Amino acid sequence: MLPRQQWLEKLFYAMIAFALLGPTLRVPLIPGFKLTFFRVAFFALAVALILRWVNDKRIEASHMYRIRWYWAFFAFWVAYAAISLTWVIDLGRGIKYLTFLLMMTLLCLSFPFFANTEKQFWQTMRTLFWVFFAIVAFGLFESITFFHLPSSRYWLDDAPNITSVFRNQNDLATAITLALPFLGTSLYMFKANRRTKVLAYITVIVASYCLLATGSRSNTMLALPLILLVWAVSLPFTVDREKLKKNFLRGLSVFLSIVLIVGLLNVSLLSGGKNSSRAKLASTFGIFLDLKGDWKVPTDEEGVSEGEGTGGTSITVRQTLLLYGLKYLQESNYMGVGAGNVEAHNETKLGKGINTVNIHNWWAEVSVNFGVLIFVMYMALYFGLLHWLWRLASMKRSPHVSPLIRWGALSSLLSLTGFLIGGVAPSTCIHFTPMWISYGVALAVVVLGEQYGKRQKRCRRHLPSTGE
């Protein structure tokens, strides 16, 4: 028999694997409700933790004190969401959204709770890697065969679009840009055997190709370049200068080989045509022309017109959804329309030409649903986390941390920086598990970094004096 802690850890690994796979593994129970494997694992883990607390009268969680502002904010956020149900116009949507918020914040906090040693953190990242590898490997298979999973919007449709385990291309693209920093930096930031490095190299290539194949403009042409820019700037500060000079040409050749192979896959496998991924990516800079017009809420008679730059309505619809959202926020006296009620307002108030009610912008989703107070607190802690991660990634500021922690810190920093743009791609992020997992991994890195620094200080204090 395994000790109870090991059983809990195995349940945790199963839960995060099912969380990434999302709606792919599910069983329909009643009309409108499908039981996912993630929900089963989540509630099994929750029950196991409660039973352990009842039996032992305590659960070791002292290490969570280091991120007290984050779990305190999450608790306040959930409480505010519950209170907001008193002024929502659709209580059913509000309760559903509140349930998602509670589950996702707990999923996020489970990472620093369980991955509180370097061994557990490494096992956690290995689990996430293998699931991600399966996701992008199927994406490659999907782009060749046009076979889609039942969870895809293209199920039973002979379409060239790839979604892998997600519903649409934008969700897959955002998941890839969240994961790529961890894979790319793993090629040089810590020691690993040749098999691990080769596998990471192959996964970077396949994931990069899948990103191009999604045709997601915000992720491919905006978020990814931002990640690469921040990564390039960070190199002299996160890698030993001598090692950087010595291996610069080798690293450059690896980077160029990835670009070349991904380019060849793009030419060989991606189809052309007006509505192809290539055409969408080529129209990226047309986004700015689409956004150039009047920033006012259109009337029902005006509707939504095609953009001048992209030739489609995707950008203008998103712009309109944002304008309507800001209007609702103002009408709510900046307290928010209540948990999950942006969609409810959109259903009754949107003009013609808009066939979606999701706001398609995570930052607007937070502010419009929950108001300015929650949004400001959320963003302050988000940028605070980025600053904390930079301190741990920097050789100068944190010379004491291990290569594994430094890798986790830099990767999380790049991932969450890219999400500042990538967060406008998915239709909603309240149940978009890759984002919550990335946030959780970042919090786990902070806990590990603080623990490591504390141990190093204790060791230095107990070293014998070497003075004359």
Side-chain angles (χ1 to χ4, degrees):
M1 290 286 291
L2 285 170
R4 280 181 297 176
Q5 182 61 28
Q6 285 184 276
W7 279 114
L8 287 173
E9 287 174 12
K10 286 186 177 295
L11 260 178
F12 167 68
Y13 299 139
M15 179 189 72
I16 62 175
F18 292 143
L20 265 187
L21 293 171
T24 305
L25 302 175
R26 60 186 179 179
V27 179
L29 292 182
I30 58 174
F33 179 78
K34 296 178 177 66
L35 184 65
T36 63
F37 285 22
F38 163 61
R39 288 172 184 167
V40 173
F42 178 89
F43 285 109
L45 182 59
V47 170
L49 283 169
I50 292 169
L51 290 175
R52 180 172 178 181
W53 178 72
V54 169
N55 290 330
D56 298 348
K57 307 301 181 189
R58 65 186 295 272
I59 290 181
E60 177 52 44
S62 59
H63 58 283
M64 297 290 284
Y65 181 76
R66 293 173 177 83
I67 53 168
R68 58 194 178 278
W69 291 109
Y70 290 87
W71 53 257
F73 167 69
F74 285 156
F76 177 73
W77 189 3
V78 171
Y80 188 93
I83 293 169
S84 75
L85 296 181
T86 59
W87 66 74
V88 297
I89 63 172
D90 189 328
L91 185 59
R93 285 183 186 272
I95 293 172
K96 184 178 179 181
Y97 199 95
L98 173 62
T99 304
F100 279 131
L101 179 63
L102 178 61
M103 288 182 66
M104 293 301 108
T105 51
L106 289 176
L107 169 66
C108 181
L109 291 173
S110 69
F111 282 84
F113 181 79
F114 282 101
N116 59 3
T117 67
E118 289 196 44
K119 181 181 178 182
Q120 291 165 332
F121 179 74
W122 178 242
Q123 183 58 44
T124 299
M125 300 312 291
R126 283 185 61 191
T127 302
L128 293 174
F129 166 76
W130 284 113
V131 177
F132 181 75
F133 178 80
I135 289 171
V136 294
F138 184 82
L140 177 61
F141 171 78
E142 191 178 16
S143 74
I144 297 170
T145 63
F146 299 169
F147 174 80
H148 310 287
L149 293 171
S151 56
S152 171
R153 70 195 299 181
Y154 301 107
W155 167 241
L156 300 180
D157 187 359
D158 190 25
N161 312 87
I162 72 167
T163 61
S164 190
V165 301
F166 300 96
R167 172 161 173 74
N168 57 53
Q169 308 98 301
N170 284 328
D171 288 355
L172 173 60
T174 307
I176 289 172
T177 51
L178 285 168
L180 269 178
F182 292 91
L183 292 165
T185 53
S186 71
L187 295 174
Y188 69 90
M189 284 202 74
F190 59 85
K191 290 182 180 179
N193 58 44
R194 184 180 294 272
R195 175 177 169 272
T196 301
K197 296 284 189 183
V198 170
L199 194 58
Y201 176 78
I202 292 171
T203 310
V204 168
I205 290 171
V206 176
S208 300
Y209 164 73
C210 287
L211 180 59
L212 287 176
T214 63
S216 173
R217 290 171 288 214
S218 57
N219 280 288
T220 309
M221 304 301 286
L222 298 173
L224 184 60
L226 175 62
I227 290 170
L228 291 173
L229 175 63
V230 176
W231 168 70
V233 171
S234 74
L235 274 174
F237 304 98
T238 57
V239 180
D240 180 76
R241 299 290 177 96
E242 291 301 317
K243 189 184 291 186
L244 182 61
K245 290 177 183 177
K246 182 180 177 183
N247 297 294
F248 179 78
L249 290 178
R250 184 190 301 175
L252 182 62
S253 64
V254 169
F255 178 80
L256 292 176
S257 69
I258 291 171
V259 172
L260 177 62
I261 296 171
V262 171
L264 290 173
L265 287 173
N266 177 30
V267 172
S268 305
L269 299 179
L270 288 187
S271 59
K274 182 181 177 182
N275 298 316
S276 67
S277 299
R278 286 191 211 166
K280 278 188 71 178
L281 294 176
S283 68
T284 299
F285 294 104
I287 291 174
F288 301 104
L289 280 176
D290 288 1
L291 298 175
K292 197 177 171 185
D294 292 334
W295 279 74
K296 62 183 181 66
V297 178
T299 63
D300 288 345
E301 292 74 25
E302 290 173 331
V304 177
S305 58
E306 290 187 349
E308 292 180 39
T310 61
T313 60
S314 175
I315 303 303
T316 51
V317 164
R318 287 170 185 266
Q319 180 188 26
T320 303
L321 288 167
L322 177 60
L323 291 170
Y324 269 99
L326 294 176
K327 179 185 175 185
Y328 306 150
L329 179 62
Q330 184 181 28
E331 291 171 350
S332 71
N333 296 314
Y334 302 100
M335 292 177 64
V337 296
N341 265 242
V342 174
E343 291 85 356
H345 282 265
N346 281 340
E347 278 185 346
T348 59
K349 298 178 182 178
L350 285 181
K352 64 181 181 181
I354 302 178
N355 57 3
T356 182
V357 294
N358 296 113
I359 200 163
H360 286 72
N361 183 319
W362 173 239
W363 317 110
E365 187 175 344
V366 173
S367 60
V368 178
N369 275 319
F370 301 107
V372 172
L373 176 63
I374 293 293
F375 178 72
V376 170
M377 293 173 70
Y378 180 88
M379 294 309 298
L381 288 171
Y382 194 95
F383 283 107
L385 181 58
L386 293 181
H387 176 69
W388 211 339
L389 291 168
W390 172 249
R391 282 173 50 197
L392 290 172
S394 169
M395 296 281 291
K396 183 179 179 180
R397 290 171 176 264
S398 300
H400 56 274
V401 302
S402 67
L404 182 65
I405 295 173
R406 196 180 309 282
W407 164 71
L410 177 61
S411 302
S412 296
L413 172 69
L414 297 174
S415 179
L416 294 179
T417 300
F419 186 73
L420 290 169
I421 295 176
V424 304
S427 56
T428 176
C429 285
I430 189 59
H431 48 67
F432 184 61
T433 52
M435 183 272 287
W436 294 101
I437 287 172
S438 299
Y439 205 117
V441 168
L443 292 177
V445 169
V446 166
V447 169
L448 286 171
E450 293 298 307
Q451 286 179 331
Y452 199 93
K454 206 171 182 181
R455 284 198 302 269
Q456 291 294 311
K457 286 177 183 177
R458 277 202 304 265
C459 290
R460 284 198 294 270
R461 278 202 303 267
H462 289 89
L463 284 174
S465 174
T466 57
E468 293 294 330

